[in-house]
Amino acid sequence: MLSFTCCDTNDEIVCIKEVERWLIQIWKFFENSPKCLAIYFKGKLTINQLQELYAQKVCQKRQAKATRTRWLSLSKAVEGVFNDYLALMQTLRKLKSSDVLAAGLLQKMHDVKFIEVELIMKNILTVPNKLSCAFQHGQVFFALMEPAIQKTIGDLDQIAQKASPISEFAASLKQGGRLHLA
């Protein structure tokens, strides 16, 4: 029920639907091409300058599939793109001359609007995910449902009032920030 409610709320917000569509395309791009996935892993190693043993554990992780019916998977896809943004951009740049989809993904992901919406989604999706996980974890006590929902609403209101995703985005673009090189 929670995932259907969350999915219905973003139908009017075109930019969120667009980012969801591109997240699905990113997943398909790497899922259907071992060659592209190998280039992505190599780029991930280069960017993070990981030690060989540690890299083997971290880089075995693929991009998560974004689906509208599974809210947690959308959150994992957003988190994956957020964490590996530079490696994804480097991979798409290498492949853009030989792959039309890579060129399109590169153009969309390099857009400031995509980065902003992706960052906002990353910050916001963690809140309903906690509620969803609490409901899925075990037995649900109806007496605890309303306080849990009220806490979730309060947490979302707090994010909106502080505008933390926007300030995080601005900080990431500054010299030495996470996205400065992008």
Side-chain angles (χ1 to χ4, degrees):
M1 174 109 151
L2 179 65
S3 65
F4 289 121
T5 304
C6 293
C7 287
D8 289 343
T9 59
N10 66 14
D11 282 339
E12 284 81 36
I13 304 173
V14 176
C15 57
I16 290 178
K17 287 174 64 174
E18 188 175 307
V19 168
E20 285 179 14
R21 189 175 78 241
W22 285 102
L23 289 171
I24 291 168
Q25 287 296 319
I26 292 166
W27 175 80
K28 285 180 181 177
F29 182 75
F30 290 106
E31 184 68 16
N32 296 328
S33 175
K35 176 187 170 190
C36 293
L37 191 61
I39 293 170
Y40 163 66
F41 284 157
K42 186 176 179 181
K44 193 171 175 180
L45 283 170
T46 303
I47 286 176
N48 296 330
Q49 297 177 348
L50 300 172
Q51 296 174 346
E52 190 173 314
L53 182 61
Y54 181 70
Q56 289 174 356
K57 293 178 184 176
V58 172
C59 288
Q60 296 304 322
K61 203 171 172 184
R62 295 176 179 225
Q63 289 298 317
K65 182 179 182 181
T67 62
R68 300 198 80 206
T69 56
R70 296 189 181 263
W71 198 245
L72 294 173
S73 68
L74 176 61
S75 179
K76 288 179 183 176
V78 167
E79 186 78 28
V81 169
F82 176 82
N83 291 335
D84 295 339
Y85 183 77
L86 293 176
L88 287 168
M89 294 300 287
Q90 181 182 24
T91 302
L92 294 173
R93 277 190 190 104
K94 285 182 180 178
L95 297 169
K96 75 178 180 178
S97 61
S98 62
D99 192 313
V100 177
L101 181 56
L105 287 171
L106 178 65
Q107 182 181 4
K108 270 301 180 190
M109 288 181 66
H110 199 264
D111 186 13
V112 172
K113 189 177 233 180
F114 175 88
I115 299 167
E116 286 175 323
V117 171
E118 204 266 336
L119 183 61
I120 290 168
M121 289 173 70
K122 177 194 149 304
N123 280 274
I124 291 174
L125 289 175
T126 57
V127 177
N129 284 349
K130 289 177 187 174
L131 179 65
S132 180
C133 287
F135 287 165
Q136 293 175 25
H137 185 55
Q139 295 179 340
V140 177
F141 298 103
F142 291 104
L144 299 176
M145 287 178 96
E146 186 174 347
I149 292 170
Q150 291 303 321
K151 179 175 179 353
T152 300
I153 292 170
D155 290 348
L156 289 171
D157 286 341
Q158 189 175 27
I159 290 171
Q161 289 171 359
K162 287 183 178 179
S164 56
I166 296 168
S167 58
E168 184 181 339
F169 175 69
S172 69
L173 292 176
K174 291 182 181 174
Q175 183 75 19
R178 191 181 70 80
L179 297 175
H180 175 70
L181 296 175

